[in-house]
Amino acid sequence: KIEFTIPPNTTFQSINANGLVCLTPAVGAGGLVSCTVGALAAGATGTFDITVQISVGGLEETAPPGQTAFLTAYAAWVARTG
């Protein structure tokens, strides 16, 4: 199981997690992203991307007028035995 808490001053936008089964907050909300990996062989690897919108108090002040600031976090995982 992989869990990611949406950081303060951001809201969930999307996830790209091929091969994982994920529960996410609604788009525009905060909360917890929880993904189940399933049965894997030792040494198996994978990646996922979570995109959040940066809100008030974040970096949105640096976005050009009329545009919104987004951040995509990239993470990788490796299956281990024991």
Side-chain angles (χ1 to χ4, degrees):
K1 185 177 203 179
I2 300 168
E3 293 185 329
F4 176 84
T5 301
I6 303 300
N9 299 318
T10 66
T11 57
F12 176 78
Q13 295 299 307
S14 65
I15 185 168
N16 178 12
N18 292 331
L20 304 182
V21 176
C22 299
L23 297 174
T24 66
V27 172
L32 182 70
V33 175
S34 179
C35 298
T36 302
V37 178
L40 298 169
T45 62
T47 62
F48 63 96
D49 303 319
I50 297 174
T51 300
V52 297
Q53 180 177 347
I54 302 168
S55 44
V56 176
L59 299 176
E60 74 177 5
E61 295 85 9
T62 63
Q67 295 187 12
T68 305
F70 291 91
L71 173 69
T72 298
Y74 169 84
W77 52 267
V78 177
R80 302 198 189 278
T81 59

